[in-house]
Amino acid sequence: MAAFVGRTTKQALLRAKPICINQNANFVSFNKKTGKRAAWIIGGLAAGTGAITLTALAQPTYAGDLVLHPPKFPWNHNGLLDSLDHASIRRGFEVYKQVCAACHSMKYLCYRNLVNVIMTEDEAKAVAEEAMIEDGPDAEGNMFERPGKLSDHFQSPYKNEEEARAANNGALPPDLSYIVLARHGGEDYIFSLLTGYSDAPAGVTLMDGQHYNAYFPGGAIGMAQALYNEIIEYSDGTPATQSQLAKDVATFLKWAGEPEHDSRKLYGMRAAIVVCFLGAVAYYVKRFTWSVLKSRKLAFKPPSYKK
């Protein structure tokens, strides 16, 4: 299409009358090279506009897309070189442990992952020992329970999916290990969902056990509002408002889904420094290698004819 438009525009320019092209005033005259370039530019713009229009028309709009998207919040870890707030991660773990762990599991996270991130090794061991892990069989073939170790995964509140659904009116509480990465909006969605409960508007009917949340697809969510002001008490004395609780648990879930977040940015900064240095060296080597050809002078000496 671009080639066709280019050829058509070029022919139109070449067929223009000389009186319109060659004026005595300072009017731009299209020679062969300039006309060809202008034709390609106009043809490319026309083709690009047509492609964008066709692409927009080819994408259907579904009713499921008509949901309330969470706003963008200024998280302090969104910068190019900004790290996660580890004090907020620790508070978020306290929120998960005291509130969320009653229904939601984090089966892909181990207690050892907490070491040197939000607590010391001794503190992580103490937290792990609070959980009773089913192990075995023993020498007699029986299963037994033991205190948790650092190598154990976070304990699930339910033994299986059927028990989880039966305890929540048929709704299955999702695992929170990668919930931030699995939801559109990431931590913005988590924060908005936890603070977005309200009364159902007129015309919306909720079933038994459902609650209204504008940020949840469909509006009807099986999880009741879990965070209230001063529902827990932080160990560091931070005021436990609802927004603070939601912010901290969203930061904790962000770290749980991307535990390499800080190290990835650190290695990226180091790699950028090395690439800049190697780029300067490569540019110098290139200039040095081609300096002989770039600076040489070619002189034409006509042959001398002898009579």
Side-chain angles (χ1 to χ4, degrees):
M1 182 177 178
F4 173 74
V5 175
R7 289 196 299 269
T8 305
T9 309
K10 178 181 177 183
Q11 292 174 3
L13 292 173
L14 293 178
R15 289 198 301 267
K17 295 181 179 180
I19 189 173
C20 297
I21 299 178
N22 298 323
Q23 299 287 343
N24 294 329
N26 294 329
F27 190 78
V28 178
S29 61
F30 291 98
N31 53 24
K32 182 177 180 180
K33 185 175 181 180
T34 307
K36 183 177 180 180
R37 185 176 302 173
W40 275 106
I41 293 175
I42 297 174
L45 292 176
T49 304
I52 294 174
T53 304
L54 292 176
T55 303
L57 294 176
Q59 293 181 352
T61 302
Y62 299 99
D65 294 337
L66 302 177
V67 296
L68 183 61
H69 295 278
K72 296 291 184 181
F73 294 104
W75 299 92
N76 53 8
H77 56 263
N78 283 343
L80 187 62
L81 300 179
D82 293 332
S83 61
L84 291 168
D85 185 357
H86 286 248
S88 182
I89 297 176
R90 183 184 179 97
R91 293 193 299 267
F93 173 71
E94 295 179 10
V95 177
Y96 167 77
K97 181 181 176 182
Q98 301 182 43
V99 180
C100 307
C103 299
H104 296 274
S105 63
M106 296 190 73
K107 59 183 178 181
Y108 297 107
L109 205 65
C110 297
Y111 293 102
R112 65 169 179 266
N113 299 130
L114 305 176
V115 179
N116 297 329
V117 176
I118 59 177
M119 58 183 62
T120 63
E121 183 176 352
D122 294 336
E123 291 176 335
K125 285 182 178 179
V127 172
E129 290 174 355
E130 295 177 0
M132 299 303 296
I133 308 298
E134 185 178 6
D135 201 351
D138 55 12
E140 299 179 356
N142 299 321
M143 304 297 291
F144 61 93
E145 291 186 346
R146 59 168 177 80
K149 299 182 295 185
L150 291 179
S151 58
D152 293 324
H153 292 266
F154 281 14
Q155 190 178 22
S156 176
Y158 305 107
K159 296 180 180 180
N160 47 57
E161 179 179 337
E162 287 72 17
E163 183 182 358
R165 290 186 180 276
N168 294 276
N169 296 323
L172 178 63
D175 185 84
L176 300 182
S177 302
Y178 299 104
I179 193 68
V180 171
L181 303 181
R183 296 295 185 269
H184 173 71
E187 56 268 40
D188 294 329
Y189 169 77
I190 300 299
F191 180 88
S192 301
L193 183 72
L194 293 176
T195 58
Y197 285 88
S198 62
D199 295 333
V204 176
T205 303
L206 300 177
M207 300 176 63
D208 293 338
Q210 290 185 337
H211 309 271
Y212 183 78
N213 193 310
Y215 294 99
F216 188 77
I221 183 173
M223 182 181 72
Q225 182 174 349
L227 300 182
Y228 298 91
N229 294 333
E230 307 298 334
I231 191 175
I232 67 170
E233 184 177 352
Y234 282 131
S235 59
D236 59 357
T238 302
T241 61
Q242 183 190 40
S243 58
Q244 184 68 48
L245 295 168
K247 181 258 184 183
D248 292 334
V249 74
T251 304
F252 168 71
L253 295 177
K254 172 68 175 180
W255 166 80
E258 293 184 81
E260 76 287 350
H261 179 275
D262 294 349
S263 59
R264 172 169 52 82
K265 289 187 176 181
L266 178 61
Y267 294 152
M269 181 181 64
R270 293 176 179 176
I273 296 175
V274 173
V275 168
C276 291
F277 174 75
L278 294 179
V281 173
Y283 178 75
Y284 173 79
V285 171
K286 178 258 182 186
R287 297 273 298 182
F288 177 80
T289 303
W290 292 91
S291 61
V292 178
L293 296 178
K294 293 289 185 179
S295 61
R296 69 179 180 176
K297 180 179 180 181
L298 299 178
F300 176 73
K301 184 177 181 180
S304 58
Y305 297 96
K306 295 182 180 179
K307 295 182 179 179

